[in-house]
Amino acid sequence: MINNNCFRINQVKWLGGNVQYLLIFSKEQMLFIKIGGQFADAEELTYIVTRGLLGYLLRKKVGKIMENKRVEKKNTLNKKSISELLSSDKKNFEIFYHDILNINLKKSRNGINGPRTGILKVKTSSKEYKFEIAPNQDYKSCENIVKKYLLNKLI
């Protein structure tokens, strides 16, 4: 189900409560599946706060632990149906392609919480969503996934 039709995004809020999602593109909809919370990309935060050799070593250790957890979670999610994915967390949700008015994608290196790969905005008739594409991902790969499913909605 998941294969290579996904990438990580963060829903960033000024007053905390950030959520990291695995954004999965299926045949009919975008699935937003929670895979982490406030400190999902803690390896970047660790480096920013501590800098220097200690920060570098902590970043490597924390980064490896976080990446292993992401791979394990993705493998677990890969075995679930769409309805099981959506019901696995109350913060999970979907947006059907036919409900999307437009989608905006742009490359951006820094956000309010530090490094990021880019910005993703999705506008429907009832709501506008804004996400940061999580760091350490290839922007071009993320862009190609969006184009594959939503080229006609991309602005």
Side-chain angles (χ1 to χ4, degrees), residues 18-145:
N18 299 347
V19 178
Q20 186 171 93
Y21 291 100
L22 184 62
L23 174 55
I24 304 168
F25 291 79
S26 73
K27 284 183 177 181
E28 299 176 349
Q29 74 262 51
M30 298 166 72
L31 303 169
F32 297 79
I33 308 302
K34 182 182 173 199
I35 58 170
Q38 185 74 17
F39 301 107
D41 281 315
E43 68 267 22
E44 295 296 333
L45 184 62
T46 302
Y47 180 69
I48 291 166
V49 171
T50 58
R51 298 281 176 174
L53 181 60
L54 178 60
Y56 176 79
L57 295 173
L58 282 172
R59 179 181 180 198
K60 288 291 183 190
K61 181 71 173 166
V62 172
K64 189 172 188 105
I65 291 167
M66 297 302 291
E67 185 57 32
N68 289 341
K69 284 185 177 184
R70 282 194 279 268
V71 168
E72 184 179 313
K73 178 101 179 188
K74 187 176 175 182
N75 289 338
T76 302
L77 295 175
N78 205 17
K79 299 172 185 167
K80 295 184 176 185
S81 68
I82 290 176
S83 60
E84 289 172 323
L85 287 171
L86 291 170
S87 64
S88 65
D89 192 285
K90 67 180 181 177
K91 292 192 177 194
N92 294 348
F93 65 99
E94 66 189 339
I95 300 175
F96 284 92
Y97 298 147
H98 61 79
D99 292 333
I100 297 174
L101 298 175
N102 61 57
I103 189 163
N104 188 317
L105 189 66
K106 78 175 184 182
K107 195 171 190 173
S108 173
R109 297 183 54 89
N110 293 303
I112 62 171
N113 285 352
R116 65 184 178 202
T117 300
I119 301 286
L120 173 73
K121 293 180 184 176
V122 180
K123 186 175 181 180
T124 67
S125 56
S126 60
K127 189 171 181 178
E128 188 167 332
Y129 302 87
K130 182 178 178 182
F131 302 96
E132 291 186 351
I133 301 171
N136 302 323
Q137 298 181 101
D138 179 52
Y139 176 81
K140 198 69 176 162
S141 295
C142 298
E143 182 182 49
N144 287 339
I145 293 168

